[in-house]
Amino acid sequence: MVPGTDLVRLRLALTAFFALDGFVFAGWVVRIPAIKEQTGASSSALGLALLGLSAGAVVTMTLTGRLCRRYGSHLVTVVCAVLLCLSVALPPLTRSAAALGVVLLLFGAAYGGINVAFNSAAVDLVAALRRPVMPGFHAAFSLGGMIGAGLGALLAGSLSPTRHLWGLAAAGLLMTAVAGRALMRCEPLTPADDVRSARQTPRRLDRRTRALVLVFGLIALCTAYGEGALADWGALHLEEDLGASPGAAAVGYTLFALAMTIGRLTGTTLLERLGRTRTILAGGSTAAAGMLLGALAPSLPAALFGYAVTGLGLANLFPVAIERAGALAGPSGVAAASTLGYGGMLLGPPAIGFMADWYSLPAALTSVAVLAAVATVIGFATRDVRADRLPGLPVAPGGRAGGVPG
């Protein structure tokens, strides 16, 4: 059994990496308007460039589950964090949409890999702690995003994108060095014998388990689509359609991230009291209403309020979906649900770009509300599945809590 102090140390290290991921990603997204202007890209060309980020992330996610089983989720997390910090410094060096797409391919690969790796490690820790604490890790991601977006808002008028993102890369590498050392010193939660056994005789998932993983992945996709859309297009909507200054536009994503942080900090208590189904129903419907307001409001204050309501509604849907998929199928479940979920986050922005060219950006952003409503319907339709009746401790087929090879 792992000592309690080791679990606390591991939890702190993983929390730091979740925060780092949000911090770096938000630092990039608040400079997208400046990078768009720098490259001279149209909305559709920018959407295609962002597709490079999506492609890199999705391809890497399908492979990272295997890497975690072979090398351990701790090592994969640290390596991907280094690549993430280095690659975020590259977009300001581009001068065309095509070059930006190539650079974002590498950034997306690192982003996808680290998300599967630390979510796999977090699923193991949730099982060891015997409490549904996954929202707390995602709260750290949101808090990192809020800080990254807030700094971006402050620096938008004084620092060029190059200096800003290079400084962001340096800060991220320093944080990786500190948190990575702590993470690598933590004992894996899965015994080595279990890992070798899992490699030699991989567990074949039954049809029901695969279907449940797919369901959780679809919920993750519908909700993460909204997060990606607001990250990449939220500021641009406030600037171009409502006349906000660059600093005020960056505040929009900051409020969204703050609301998600608050929602996720209370997520464990909410899940313990309401259960997963009612949490999904309440969150999805709240997010749908909030995004309709954020996209269609005629004034900046109302749109900002809509962004905040959307963040509060989406807060706990994604972590619940990833936790359940990982508890059922280990790193392969995390990888499958993450691929669908983060695929929604990363493929959504290019889709928004095309819809913005065809119709308008406000009309395109209403698709976030539509998919939040779809997630609510899926949650209601699967309200009686076995996973929702499980207690806080995830129990996978085979009997071992969590069922996740290290």
Side-chain angles (χ1 to χ4, degrees):
M1 180 176 293
V2 181
T5 54
D6 289 345
L7 293 180
V8 172
R9 187 180 301 113
L10 176 57
R11 187 175 181 180
L12 290 174
L14 287 175
T15 299
F17 276 107
F18 273 85
L20 170 67
D21 189 38
F23 178 73
V24 172
F25 189 74
W28 145 247
V29 300
V30 298
R31 300 316 296 255
I32 286 177
I35 299 296
K36 179 178 183 289
E37 181 179 355
Q38 172 184 297
T39 58
S42 64
S43 293
S44 57
L46 178 62
L48 287 175
L50 293 172
L51 191 61
L53 194 156
S54 307
V58 170
V59 170
T60 306
M61 283 174 177
T62 62
L63 303 175
T64 306
R66 299 177 186 176
L67 294 176
C68 288
R69 286 193 297 271
R70 182 173 181 84
Y71 300 106
S73 55
H74 294 186
L75 177 60
V76 176
T77 295
V78 174
V79 172
C80 289
V82 172
L83 293 176
L84 183 75
C85 295
L86 292 175
S87 58
V88 78
L90 300 179
L93 303 180
T94 61
R95 291 296 180 270
S96 68
L100 179 62
V102 173
V103 164
L104 291 181
L105 187 69
L106 177 60
F107 183 61
Y111 182 76
I114 193 173
N115 276 278
V116 171
F118 61 37
N119 272 297
S120 296
V123 168
D124 270 337
L125 185 57
V126 167
L129 292 173
R130 305 181 68 86
R131 291 190 67 207
V133 298
M134 184 67 87
F137 293 117
H138 289 262
F141 173 86
S142 298
L143 181 60
M146 182 187 67
I147 295 172
L151 284 176
L154 292 175
L155 299 175
S158 58
L159 281 185
S160 67
T162 301
R163 291 185 177 181
H164 176 203
L165 295 183
W166 284 19
L168 186 69
L173 288 172
L174 179 61
M175 188 172 178
T176 299
V178 175
R181 182 181 179 186
L183 183 62
M184 294 305 297
R185 293 176 65 180
C186 293
E187 289 291 329
L189 294 178
T190 304
D193 290 342
D194 288 357
V195 176
R196 285 193 292 270
S197 175
R199 292 177 193 163
Q200 294 167 2
T201 58
R203 186 179 66 202
R204 295 184 63 86
L205 303 178
D206 58 45
R207 184 177 300 177
R208 179 180 177 82
T209 302
R210 289 197 298 268
L212 286 174
V213 169
L214 177 61
V215 166
F216 295 131
L218 288 175
I219 292 175
L221 183 153
C222 291
T223 57
Y225 176 97
E227 189 168 354
L230 278 172
D232 287 359
W233 294 102
L236 206 61
H237 166 55
L238 298 180
E239 280 191 47
E240 295 186 351
D241 298 311
L242 298 179
S245 66
V251 168
Y253 184 74
T254 305
L255 288 175
F256 173 76
L258 175 61
M260 291 196 79
T261 303
I262 294 172
R264 287 171 172 174
L265 286 174
T266 60
T268 297
T269 301
L270 192 67
L271 286 167
E272 289 175 336
R273 293 184 177 180
L274 298 182
R276 293 178 179 84
T277 295
R278 282 184 287 180
T279 298
I280 289 175
L281 296 182
S285 56
T286 299
M291 197 61 239
L292 284 176
L293 177 61
L296 303 178
S299 66
L300 179 62
L304 292 176
F305 179 72
Y307 281 17
V309 172
T310 303
L312 195 63
L314 294 179
N316 293 304
L317 307 189
F318 190 89
V320 168
I322 298 300
E323 176 202 342
R324 299 315 311 152
L328 288 167
S332 61
V334 173
S338 295
T339 300
L340 285 170
Y342 286 104
M345 176 184 287
L346 300 172
L347 290 172
I352 294 285
F354 285 111
M355 286 188 286
D357 275 352
W358 295 335
Y359 305 105
S360 67
L361 185 52
L365 287 174
T366 61
S367 63
V368 174
V370 172
L371 287 186
V374 169
T376 306
V377 171
I378 294 174
F380 179 78
T382 58
R383 63 193 181 281
D384 60 342
V385 299
R386 176 173 59 92
D388 189 63
R389 295 196 296 267
L390 290 174
L393 171 65
V395 179
R400 190 175 73 80
V404 184

